[in-house]
Amino acid sequence: MNRFALALAVCALLAPAQASAQTPAPDSSPTPVRNQYNDPAMSFTAPPEYYQVGLVPHDPAHFDESTVVAAWVANPGKREQLTITLSMENHDGTLDGFEMVSENEIRDKVDSVFFKKHELTKLANGMPAYWQEMSIGSGFDELKRFGYVWADGVRGISLTITGRYMLLDEPTAKKALAGAMGVAYPKNRL
């Protein structure tokens, strides 16, 4: 995918955010909390300066391919825009296996990707994860992307933040993503 296509994909992701607020949940579901994503095996709270993008709800345990299940944006439409995305896909293998899969998927979808860092770490609650740092594109259009990837026994999960080169650094990214917590997916819970 070239830079223009990447920009279009980001615009398509952000378009619903400007249309309206999230669709109300059915009466049988708990009311969603602004800037939070919760499911049986993970939770994330985005910083208060981020606006949640309205996305269609998705079953948290069944995916055909990597799917963005939640997104948030700060400074929408400005040069300083930062975007947080939470993506999931079916994966019942190891953490190391998913980290490799996630890198290969990005390389297949985007041109000019350079992985600077992929180190084993932990989420806020101790769940093993990898921290990734990459550059996408070059020149004035270069983007930085940081994120956590982890596997919960059912899914592979990627929580990333993307922004323009020189406007996003590692300390800012770690602070924005600090609210991530995960556990093994409870397969047999009713």
Side-chain angles (χ1 to χ4, degrees):
M1 179 186 298
N2 63 32
R3 288 181 294 233
F4 180 72
L6 177 63
L8 285 177
V10 170
C11 289
L13 175 65
L14 298 178
Q18 302 194 4
S20 66
Q22 285 185 307
T23 306
D27 292 339
S28 63
S29 299
T31 304
V33 177
R34 183 183 175 273
N35 280 15
Q36 285 188 0
Y37 176 87
N38 294 293
D39 72 26
M42 72 149 299
S43 67
F44 173 70
T45 302
E49 65 271 18
Y50 284 76
Y51 299 94
Q52 195 160 8
V53 176
L55 296 173
V56 177
H58 193 284
D59 180 343
H62 302 287
F63 299 93
D64 294 328
E65 58 186 20
S66 181
T67 304
V68 176
V69 297
W72 299 266
V73 63
N75 306 311
K78 298 180 181 175
R79 178 171 167 63
E80 298 82 17
Q81 179 174 312
L82 298 174
T83 305
I84 296 174
T85 57
L86 176 62
S87 302
M88 298 179 184
E89 62 187 88
N90 290 337
H91 182 81
D92 59 3
T94 67
L95 170 59
D96 290 335
F98 181 66
E99 197 277 333
M100 186 184 317
V101 165
S102 71
E103 283 191 26
N104 289 335
E105 286 176 348
I106 293 167
R107 285 188 179 104
D108 288 345
K109 293 178 183 176
V110 182
D111 294 334
S112 303
V113 174
F114 173 71
F115 278 86
K116 181 177 180 181
K117 185 182 288 186
H118 52 139
E119 62 186 23
L120 191 58
T121 187
K122 293 181 181 180
L123 300 180
N125 67 327
M127 179 72 161
Y130 272 93
W131 176 255
Q132 296 177 334
E133 176 184 351
M134 69 196 82
S135 298
I136 302 168
S138 61
F140 295 116
D141 295 329
E142 185 172 351
L143 299 173
K144 288 295 287 184
R145 180 173 161 173
F146 297 89
Y148 291 107
V149 297
W150 70 96
D152 65 11
V154 172
R155 315 168 295 187
I157 303 164
S158 299
L159 178 66
T160 63
I161 183 168
T162 306
R164 289 188 178 273
Y165 183 74
M166 299 298 290
L167 296 177
L168 178 61
D169 60 13
E170 188 169 10
T172 302
K174 284 188 174 185
K175 183 178 178 185
L177 302 180
M181 291 188 270
V183 296
Y185 197 92
K187 296 178 195 179
N188 300 318
R189 184 169 55 167
L190 298 175

